């Protein structure tokens, strides 16, 4: 497990961006949506490079693990490709964890972007290599969507380019508990991050600011997941908690998500913020996993990235 951050190369207009599917065969099931997403990526000024098996299907997966890993690794190894973005989500991205070539990823240092189920791969890669990865839009469900506001794509391009202004996240957060926390960011879908508990690729929780979100689950199910984190000692080690906007996470027995979080986290003293749009929401801010963030209930900026998250561009001072 690495504790030294590695910074990916910045991604600018004209760069080639690879597209992979690491879980469900969503491009195969929704080819028109996938094509719109590829076109939207091109419209942002990038050259899309679709992996050979991104549109494949093998049962409930886009392909077997060997095939999907070959796609991913080939794009990481391709010197003409600057970044890799996941097409969509699913429920089986953890099947790829044991086959990831962390040495290749560590030495190529490319921006890797995903959301939902692929967020477990992002956090595993950051934990193992130190490489900053990006919790951001998917090709299909964000870039292709006419429901996503322009801010989603604009923030994605600004963060991948390393623009300092993009580190000021303008979301109006609400607070269950006020305070200040500063630490490296761990961010993802709660039920997906749970798959990393007890594995060799578990994130370094000590001093982290943890951002979690989820979708289409009852509060009772999310309680079970977060209680698992508590019982594994995670909540004893983090410095702050951000709860993202939940999508279709209905109350259980009249108990809302906020009620459950406040009850379960009552014995801790770190700040808890709510309402960050970064997961399954149409408005989605792109977050650099592994970068240092500051959460401040009294500050002018409630959430900001306070460390550099991309390498300097050629000719730029360190």
């Amino acid at each position: 497990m690495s504790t030294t951050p590695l910074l990916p190369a910045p991604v600018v207009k004209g760069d080639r961006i690879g597209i992979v599917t690491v879980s469900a065969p969503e491009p195969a099931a929704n080819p028109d949506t996938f094509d719109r997403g590829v076109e939207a990526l091109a419209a942002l000024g990038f050259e899309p490079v679709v992996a050979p098996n991104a549109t494949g299907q093998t049962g409930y997966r886009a392909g077997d693990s060997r095939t999907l890993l070959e796609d991913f690794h080939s794009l990481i190894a391709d010197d003409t490709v600057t970044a890799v973005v996941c097409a969509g989500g699913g429920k089986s991205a953890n099947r790829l964890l044991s086959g990831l070539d962390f040495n290749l990823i560590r030495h190529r240092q490319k921006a890797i972007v995903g959301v939902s189920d692929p967020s477990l791969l992002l956090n595993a890669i950051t934990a193992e290599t130190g490489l900053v990865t990006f919790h951001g839009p998917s090709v299909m469900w964000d870039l292709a969507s006419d429901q996503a506001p322009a801010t989603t794509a604009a923030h994605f391009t600004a963060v991948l380019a390393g623009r300092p202004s993009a580190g000021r996240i303008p979301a109006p957060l609400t607070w269950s508990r006020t305070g200040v926390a500063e630490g490296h960011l761990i961010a993802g879908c709660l039920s997906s991050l749970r798959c990393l508990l007890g594995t060799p690729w578990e994130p370094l929780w000590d001093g982290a600011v943890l951002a979690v979100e989820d979708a289409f689950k009852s509060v009772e199910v999310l309680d079970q997941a977060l209680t698992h984190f508590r019982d594994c000692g995670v909540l004893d080690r983090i410095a702050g908690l951000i709860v993202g906007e939940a999508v279709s996470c209905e109350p259980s027995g009249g108990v809302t998500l906020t009620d459950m979080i406040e009850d379960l986290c009552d014995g801790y003293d770190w700040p808890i913020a709510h309402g960050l749009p970064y997961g399954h929401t149409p408005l989605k801010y792109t977050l650099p996993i592994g970068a240092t963030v500051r959460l401040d209930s009294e500050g002018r900026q409630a959430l900001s990235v306070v460390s550099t998250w991309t390498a300097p561009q050629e000719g730029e001072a360190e």
Side-chain angles (χ1 to χ4, degrees), residues 97-120:
L97 285 168
S98 62
L100 284 173
D101 187 341
F102 291 108
N103 282 329
L104 174 67
I105 296 167
R106 184 182 292 111
H107 288 103
R108 295 303 174 126
Q109 297 181 215
K110 295 184 180 183
I112 304 170
V113 187
V115 65
S116 191
D117 187 44
S119 67
L120 68 88

Side-chain angles (χ1 to χ4, degrees), residues 220-264:
E220 182 180 22
V221 170
L222 298 180
D223 185 331
Q224 180 190 54
L226 192 59
T227 298
H228 189 187
F229 278 76
R230 183 199 67 184
D231 293 345
C232 288
V234 172
L235 302 188
D236 294 314
R237 299 165 63 185
I238 63 174
L241 178 66
I242 302 171
V243 183
E245 286 186 20
V247 175
S248 298
C249 292
E250 300 300 325
S252 296
V255 177
T256 67
L257 177 61
T258 299
D259 294 335
M260 182 273 285
I261 295 286
E262 290 180 348
D263 177 55
L264 186 59

Side-chain angles (χ1 to χ4, degrees), residues 282-300:
L283 170 60
K284 182 182 280 80
Y285 291 103
T286 298
L287 304 178
I289 297 169
T292 301
V293 299
R294 181 178 176 85
L295 189 63
D296 187 349
S297 61
E298 303 299 326
R300 177 179 296 181

Side-chain angles (χ1 to χ4, degrees), residues 46-94:
F46 305 109
E47 182 184 342
V49 181
V50 179
N53 301 287
T55 58
Q57 180 169 7
T58 302
Y60 54 83
R61 303 173 69 199
D64 59 33
S65 296
R66 179 188 59 80
T67 298
L68 300 185
L69 285 166
E70 283 180 357
D71 275 2
F72 182 73
H73 290 146
S74 66
L75 290 172
I76 294 293
D78 188 338
D79 289 334
T80 72
V81 171
T82 308
V84 177
V85 179
C86 294
K91 292 183 175 63
S92 58
N94 60 329

Side-chain angles (χ1 to χ4, degrees), residues 21 24 34 44 46 55 65 71 113 141 143 152-153 164 173 195 211 222 229-230 236 240 290 299 305 310:
T21 305
F34 178 71
L44 292 175
F46 305 109
T55 58
S65 296
D71 275 2
V113 187
W141 307 122
L143 299 180
T152 295
L173 303 179
C195 297
L222 298 180
F229 278 76
R230 183 199 67 184
D236 294 314
V305 185
T310 61

